[in-house]
Amino acid sequence: MHEWIADNLRANGGTYQTCICAVPALARRQGLVTVTCDPRNLEHVLKTRFDNYPKGPTYHAVFLDLLGDGIFNSDGDTWLFQRKTAALEFTTRTLRHAMSRWVCRSIHLRLLPMLQDASLKSGVVDLQELLLRLTFDNICGLAFGKDPETLAPGLPENAFAVAFDRATEATLNRFILPESMWRFKKWLRIGMEATLFRSVAHVDRYLSAVIKTRKLEIDDGQNHDDLLSRFIKKGTYSEAFLQHVALNFILAGRDTSSVALSWFFWLVSTHPHAALSETLRLYPSVPEDSKHVVADDVLPDGTFVPAGSSITYSIYSAGRMKSVWGNDCLEFRPDRWLSPDGKRFEMQDSFRFVAFNAGPRICLGKDLAYLQMKSIAAAVLLRHRLHVAPAHRVEQKMSLTLFMKHGLKMNVHDRDMDSIASELRKTRQSAAAVPAEVVAAGA
């Protein structure tokens, strides 16, 4: 689907409009969808006229049962309050240190031993599955200080993780069905709506117990540095609000990093070198997003968007347009992110590279996401060579997050650590042999 949208956008100069409602009275507004990847339009929607393009009622209704009025499912003052509160926490060094501890712990105590075991047995691992479990454990630890330990030998089933997955899948099913149909199924409590009801109830019970315990621990003087504890200390928030805070950050921090790393490891196994930002340009974790149009407006490219309609911005397509990235836009070329001398990383304009969104709703966890992904990539690639398993097909899954449809089955081989250590020793010895006056002059 994402390739189909990208082809349409290339053929129409970066923007086109379509209608999903055949009812004449509604087609112009509620049924009209404007699809774009033009950086000028993205800046207009995500920043310049930010207030005119909220999440909107449709998006809010779809995610309400799972995410409530959390930061990723709210607009206006409700969103602004949570954004400001969360932003204060995300800028603290202690949160970054907390993420580092959780990531390093899960890498060295769980992921690397499992990869080493696969290498010794010459077995095949589903790397996407391992990464999903690793990032789920990490984000749960960071969000509410509790490690579900889903990444463990034998890949045990965790009731909370299963309920969360089923709730997410059932919620995404609402995007496929007309709103009247899924609301009717919800009223009758049948099909995926019944699954959603049961799964959300399980998630709520689990988080309710965590919150009650955490409040007692904080009252007892115990110190915790997770996001939940930080919010509890900030004020007297309801239990429902605190649950939605935790769930929103789990949803944002789990699938996105693991999906990005899956595409990264696939690319690094099929190309001589790789970079995370180049991976995210071609395979953004969230390939499409949408906004609701509050008032009539005209986009910078001249497209008229009426009030009540919606606008979809294709993040997947934005990284694949010749007009933005050049004739080699479909090539995996990490050096496009380097300065002309090849020595410095240069971040692209946020409306050309929208993998982390842009404007006032730009991802708060961007730096933490890069920290986690770089830590995992460096730890794995230092020790192992990865190859896609023979006959394994890498395809995109139809989902809000750009999962691999069949996982990522890979063969794991050990690297020769002795030769790496020898090269490092030579480098250090060469550096030590440089006269002091030369080092001073270079400095």
Side-chain angles (χ1 to χ4, degrees):
M1 186 195 75
H2 307 304
E3 284 292 339
W4 177 75
I5 291 175
D7 286 342
N8 288 339
L9 287 168
R10 290 189 196 103
N12 290 278
T15 304
Y16 68 91
Q17 292 181 310
T18 185
C19 183
I20 59 172
C21 181
V23 181
L26 298 178
R28 178 171 168 76
R29 295 182 180 273
Q30 284 87 343
L32 181 68
V33 178
T34 302
V35 185
T36 187
C37 67
D38 187 319
R40 297 171 300 166
N41 292 346
L42 297 182
E43 183 172 9
H44 182 84
V45 171
L46 300 176
K47 180 184 177 182
T48 309
R49 291 294 310 279
F50 174 75
D51 291 339
N52 195 50
Y53 298 93
K55 289 282 188 178
T58 300
Y59 191 100
H60 182 265
V62 165
F63 281 98
L64 182 62
D65 290 318
L66 178 62
L67 299 180
D69 288 317
I71 190 170
F72 297 106
N73 198 39
S74 58
D75 291 308
D77 292 339
T78 303
W79 166 78
L80 187 59
F81 166 72
Q82 295 182 68
R83 175 78 184 194
K84 287 181 176 179
T85 305
L88 290 173
E89 302 303 336
F90 273 88
T91 55
T92 61
R93 184 178 298 178
T94 51
L95 190 65
R96 185 179 178 86
H97 288 169
M99 173 59 94
S100 295
R101 288 198 303 273
W102 284 107
V103 173
C104 289
R105 180 170 171 267
S106 58
I107 289 173
H108 292 284
L109 297 183
R110 298 180 190 171
L111 179 63
L112 291 179
M114 295 178 78
L115 292 179
Q116 179 64 29
D117 184 61
S119 176
L120 291 173
K121 296 178 180 178
S122 299
V124 175
V125 298
D126 184 346
L127 196 56
Q128 179 171 258
E129 174 68 17
L130 299 186
L131 293 169
L132 277 167
R133 288 170 176 264
L134 184 151
T135 53
F136 185 74
D137 291 348
N138 286 345
I139 198 61
C140 285
L142 190 69
F144 51 84
K146 191 171 178 64
D147 184 356
E149 299 185 16
T150 62
L151 183 64
L155 303 181
E157 185 175 278
N158 178 279
F160 171 66
V162 170
F164 183 82
D165 282 341
R166 287 177 178 168
T168 303
E169 183 180 355
T171 297
L172 299 183
N173 189 61
R174 289 179 171 181
F175 277 105
I176 301 172
L177 300 175
E179 185 171 343
S180 58
M181 185 177 293
W182 68 253
R183 285 194 181 278
F184 181 67
K185 287 187 172 184
K186 178 182 178 180
W187 181 61
L188 293 177
R189 206 163 287 171
I190 59 174
M192 292 296 280
E193 289 297 321
T195 301
L196 179 61
F197 177 81
R198 291 192 300 269
S199 301
V200 168
H202 184 101
V203 169
D204 286 348
R205 288 194 300 271
Y206 180 89
L207 289 178
S208 177
V210 170
I211 291 169
K212 286 183 171 66
T213 302
R214 186 54 42 79
K215 284 182 174 179
L216 291 173
E217 291 172 347
I218 291 174
D219 291 341
D220 197 37
Q222 295 186 33
N223 186 40
H224 297 278
D225 61 0
D226 54 86
L227 280 169
L228 175 63
S229 299
R230 290 164 182 263
F231 270 84
I232 291 174
K233 295 172 185 176
K234 287 283 183 182
T236 55
Y237 301 123
S238 68
E239 184 175 299
F241 174 83
L242 294 171
Q243 283 187 25
H244 292 148
V245 166
L247 273 176
N248 275 252
F249 284 110
I250 291 172
L251 184 69
R254 182 249 190 154
D255 291 352
T256 49
S257 292
S258 57
V259 164
L261 282 166
S262 296
W263 289 106
F264 170 83
F265 283 119
W266 173 63
L267 286 167
V268 84
S269 73
T270 54
H271 296 75
H273 65 299
L276 283 168
S277 294
E278 180 72 345
T279 298
L280 285 165
R281 179 183 72 84
L282 290 169
Y283 299 98
S285 300
V286 180
E288 320 285 337
D289 206 348
S290 63
K291 299 289 185 182
H292 175 75
V293 183
V294 175
D296 289 355
D297 196 15
V298 178
L299 300 179
D301 69 357
T303 304
F304 173 72
V305 287
S309 66
S310 62
I311 182 165
T312 292
Y313 54 103
S314 176
I315 302 169
Y316 183 89
S317 304
R320 294 165 175 263
M321 302 296 287
K322 291 181 180 180
S323 59
V324 178
W325 295 96
N327 292 331
D328 63 352
C329 63
L330 299 182
E331 295 179 18
F332 182 72
R333 190 170 64 78
D335 59 345
R336 73 176 77 242
W337 295 85
L338 301 180
S339 59
D341 60 9
K343 295 182 179 180
R344 296 188 318 278
F345 173 82
E346 294 185 342
M347 179 54 75
Q348 297 287 334
D349 178 84
S350 61
F351 300 101
R352 286 161 46 96
F353 177 65
V354 282
F356 290 93
N357 217 329
R361 292 192 89 131
I362 193 169
C363 178
L364 279 171
K366 177 180 177 181
D367 290 341
L368 293 182
Y370 268 116
L371 168 65
Q372 177 172 235
M373 292 189 292
K374 287 179 181 179
S375 299
I376 294 170
V380 172
L381 295 178
L382 174 67
R383 296 165 175 81
H384 300 288
R385 290 179 290 106
L386 305 173
H387 299 285
V388 179
H392 176 67
R393 289 185 301 153
V394 174
E395 297 179 10
Q396 298 173 13
K397 180 181 179 180
M398 181 58 194
S399 172
L400 280 185
T401 311
L402 199 61
F403 286 106
M404 291 182 173
K405 187 175 182 179
H406 310 292
L408 180 57
K409 303 294 178 64
M410 304 199 87
N411 294 116
V412 184
H413 305 282
D414 288 342
R415 287 193 187 277
D416 183 357
M417 295 299 290
D418 290 336
S419 63
I420 295 174
S422 176
E423 288 298 321
L424 288 173
R425 281 194 295 269
K426 290 179 181 177
T427 302
R428 288 170 182 161
Q429 289 168 359
S430 298
V434 176
E437 60 271 19
V438 175
V439 173

